[in-house]
Amino acid sequence: ISRNTLVSDITKIYAQEKEKLKQVLASIQNRICLTSDVWTACTTEGYICLTGHFVDENWKLNSKILSFAHMPPPHSGVELAAKLFEFLKEWGIEKKVFSLTLDNASSNDNMQDILKEQLSLHNSLLCDGEFFHIRCSAHILNLIVQEGLKVATAALNKIRESVKYVKGSESRMKKFEECVVAVGGIDTSISLRLDVSTRWNSTYLMLESAIKYKKAFASLQLNDRNYKYCPSSEEWLRGEKICEFLEPFYDTTNLISGSSYPTSNMYFMQVWKIEVLLKENLFNEDVVVGDMCKRMKEKFDKYWSQYSTVLAFGAILDPRIKLSMLNYFYSKVESDPLKCQEKMSLVKRKLYKLFEQYTSVKETSSQPQSPSTTLPQMNNEGGFKRKGKRIFDEIKEYESQTITNAGKSHLDLYLEEPKLEFAYYEDLDVLGYWMSNKHRFPTLAVMACDVLAIPITTVASESAFSIGARVLTKYRSCTLPENVQALICTRNWLHGYVNGNLLTNYFFVLTYSIYWNFDFHLFFYLNVDNEDGVGIKTNLSCEGSNILEVVDEVEGTNERAIEMA
């Protein structure tokens, strides 16, 4: 089999799956939220990724890679905006965009301004694009913590050097294990973590792993003359305080950057929790922790002084929060009651503005049927359905008329209802709630779908780049950009964001399946046991041949498959 034949077959699968996804995007009545980012491959070629996030007809949140295309320089705002608009027209969703989530690069700010103008010219955005641009929360959180750690770096130097020293050789690790046992430790499977200067969460993990062995480090100082970095009691205490302080930031990062992308109702509470934590520790008794908080609060105010209004809507559309809990959140971080009320009034005013936009769009799109063209319907017995209204129709009309006469919208009714208590609905599926109430609040349910689907980070694009690094490597760097897009997008449409290690296995089996038989059926299914271990089981059923099964673990090799081939 030639490589051209293989490329042709993969391209056919790509075209088929793309057409299926196009039909799905065209059929849903709600809008689509986007994330985008730019990546430089090992070949120094630039790639741009566009992902779409939407709630499907089953009320499940979906995240799909729409494009993973070559992006030649320059990567200016004008060029990026033109490329993204081209993608939107290609997918036929230029009139269905709700938001675009980007990191804080200056070119992205320029790009979203230009793209917003282009979409606004076609009346494609709600409220003139007021809620279009969303900043990546994970990126902002990273900037905030990095700013604080600039103060703490020197204070943690001895702990960092101690971990580095022990992990420097096998003999040191063995001697350290003996020290752990000597001071009363039972588990000798040492789990020290090295610190990486470019990743603040590695600093937290390093502290968390080292603190529980502080007695063993003291013992190592007595048994190893070359070890000269043992922290004092005060330095260990400071390390414990910094570790405790960083823990909420670490938990928040894991939540918003996990593989199961959260709905946007989680955003507000996480940002609020961080602001409360910073305010509480501004005057911490530990000078280093206090200085960290001051620098982090300055960075926080730069990016998050005003929480993103549209994502505050996500909290309101969570039936456990609504306006009452939002008011409580604001009162905890705002000492002046007048400022608290100003914030609440602003959010409420913009919420009603967005809802009115959805209401007007629905009224415009609904086309009443002309009475003259309405034909009587036949029932199963061949007669005509009764024209008189049933009793339930009359009841529904009466209820609707009562609400209209009272001057209340569905948003008013939703906000007036008592909120659900967290004590009983801690694990509530918010999208499931709106699916159950879509008949009560039809327009509001559509708006809730769009708001809750907003991605609060660009993690989806980063995941695509991780997969891209598996496709383009120093050993396989000549793949054409259009083939890279076909591989990455098709894999995402078939299997979602599973472990990147599966990519090689997937197309390895595809190659050999084409080789084995011209007329074949190819079936792939995945067993995902946990986040760390993902296994692939491939069932290849070829016409007129025996059934061949290849089972390969992610961290294993393809030796068995090669042998069978």
Side-chain angles (χ1 to χ4, degrees), residues 120-134:
S120 296
L121 286 174
H122 297 82
N123 295 320
S124 301
L125 297 177
L126 298 173
C127 301
D128 296 323
E130 183 178 352
F131 311 115
F132 176 64
H133 183 208
I134 309 294

Side-chain angles (χ1 to χ4, degrees), residues 508 512 516 548 550 558-565:
F508 166 82
Y512 278 95
W516 286 328
L548 174 64
V550 180
N558 290 317
E559 292 177 1
R560 177 60 178 156
I562 294 171
E563 181 183 334
M564 296 175 77

